[in-house]
Amino acid sequence: MSTLAHTMMTTARSADSGLATPGELDRYPYAEAPGTDRGTGWDTAEPDLGRVGRRTAGSRGRGLHGQLVQQLGQMIVSGDLGADRPLVPEEIGQRFEVSRTVVRESLRVLEAKGLVSARPNVGTRVRPVSDWNLLDPDIIEWRAYGPQRDDQRRELSELRWTIEPLAARLAAGHGREDVQQRLTDMVEIMGHALGQGDALTFARADNEFHSLLIQVAGNRMLEHLSGIVSAALHVSGGPVTGCERPNETSLAHHARIVDALAGGDGAAAEAAMRQLLTVHPEVERVVPAPREH
């Protein structure tokens, strides 16, 4: 393990409250895959620790357990741990110097995301891409910073083009004054941040703007997809939208959406959102504008 990896893992481990007791080790549920060579595979797949801070909802703020989810998730999504590769808990614990409890809980999180499967007398194995929950915010991020980055960013752009204009149209029919005021506040914050050159504040206000818009649309299924939009807003590079390069044009489109919502004009809100998502020419090549009839 590199010095940086050892330092980060040791620091996080000292603050982690989930270390196993001897009794817990006896109850460890993951069986070792029979016939597995425990000495191969990990040395050639050094995890990238540089993105540990860029966490999304699935594993943010969970100390050593969250870090291990990040490491293993990134390695699986990047292909360092290929499909059907056995994951031996003891081997993982030795590789990352963590307890069985931490390994167990991390593998459970990855299993819930569809990345691995655990079966009695077979052990834990990496699942094929077709089984992954590709709408999970963590997986979206891991794909966006791995070998599949171009496909992931294109797919996110296409999904946003589908989700957000519809959400804007629906939101115009739900005139909640508190949400309307909050959207207005977000535009004002974005404008101030733009003037100050504060890209981080702009991004945070922008994220809340889009999340609020989806929430007020009154469609529970759309609201369930809001994590996709949040994840997309955290992924920079590749095909970009007006949200990902703060400028006066982007700010104006956000303001137009707010005005349309205030006036109950669903068509205008939808049109403004489409313009926001196609500010840059490269996006139009990915997601062409609808034809005029």
Side-chain angles (χ1 to χ4, degrees):
M1 176 182 290
S2 68
T3 301
L4 175 59
H6 181 271
T7 299
M8 293 188 68
M9 288 296 179
T10 302
T11 301
R13 183 166 59 252
S14 65
D16 189 271
S17 61
L19 299 181
T21 64
E24 287 176 321
L25 295 182
D26 294 337
R27 296 195 301 271
Y28 190 75
Y30 287 91
E32 179 173 339
T36 299
D37 181 356
R38 296 179 55 184
T40 62
W42 296 100
D43 292 338
T44 60
E46 181 71 18
D48 180 358
L49 297 178
R51 294 193 300 273
V52 167
R54 296 182 61 90
R55 294 183 189 149
T56 46
S59 55
R60 181 186 290 120
R62 295 186 181 177
L64 184 59
H65 160 254
Q67 288 196 41
L68 185 57
V69 169
Q70 285 282 314
Q71 302 301 328
L72 295 178
Q74 289 172 358
M75 293 170 74
I76 291 170
V77 170
S78 69
D80 288 337
L81 300 177
D84 206 36
R85 194 233 194 248
L87 301 179
V88 182
E90 290 82 359
E91 181 181 329
I92 296 173
Q94 292 173 6
R95 170 67 175 79
F96 292 99
E97 299 181 6
V98 296
S99 71
R100 285 189 177 184
T101 295
V102 172
V103 175
R104 177 190 62 202
E105 295 304 319
S106 298
L107 290 176
R108 283 179 174 172
V109 171
L110 296 175
E111 186 173 13
K113 297 176 184 295
L115 294 178
V116 305
S117 62
R119 297 179 182 177
N121 302 319
V122 174
T124 303
R125 291 181 176 272
V126 176
R127 299 172 71 175
V129 177
S130 58
D131 292 341
W132 298 356
N133 178 8
L134 296 179
L135 299 183
D136 182 277
D138 278 337
I139 295 180
I140 288 174
E141 180 178 302
W142 297 334
R143 290 186 71 208
Y145 290 97
Q148 304 172 49
R149 62 177 64 87
D150 291 339
D151 286 340
Q152 179 64 96
R153 289 165 179 167
R154 174 183 55 79
E155 290 165 3
L156 283 173
S157 294
E158 292 170 350
L159 274 177
R160 289 191 66 189
W161 179 267
T162 301
I163 295 169
E164 295 196 79
L166 173 60
R169 173 184 284 274
L170 294 175
H174 297 267
R176 287 177 49 185
E177 293 185 3
D178 58 332
V179 176
Q180 179 69 29
Q181 182 58 53
R182 189 62 179 162
L183 289 169
T184 300
D185 292 344
M186 290 303 102
V187 173
E188 291 179 356
I189 292 172
M190 290 164 67
H192 180 74
L194 182 61
Q196 297 296 316
D198 186 350
L200 179 59
T201 298
F202 188 101
R204 288 174 174 170
D206 185 33
N207 197 327
E208 182 166 350
F209 180 97
H210 289 269
S211 295
L212 281 170
L213 190 64
I214 291 176
Q215 291 170 21
V216 78
N219 185 306
R220 295 283 180 94
M221 296 186 74
L222 276 180
E223 185 175 344
H224 186 71
L225 298 176
S226 63
I228 297 172
V229 175
S230 293
L233 290 170
H234 282 95
V235 175
S236 60
V240 293
T241 72
C243 301
E244 292 160 346
R245 290 183 181 174
N247 53 44
E248 293 292 344
T249 302
S250 170
L251 185 63
H253 286 312
H254 283 87
R256 285 184 57 207
I257 293 170
V258 171
D259 291 342
L261 295 178
D265 190 339
E270 179 180 2
M273 179 61 76
R274 290 191 184 278
Q275 288 182 323
L276 174 61
L277 296 178
T278 56
V279 167
H280 298 285
E282 55 264 44
V283 178
E284 294 184 9
R285 290 198 296 270
V286 175
V287 186
R291 296 179 180 178
E292 296 293 336
H293 293 289

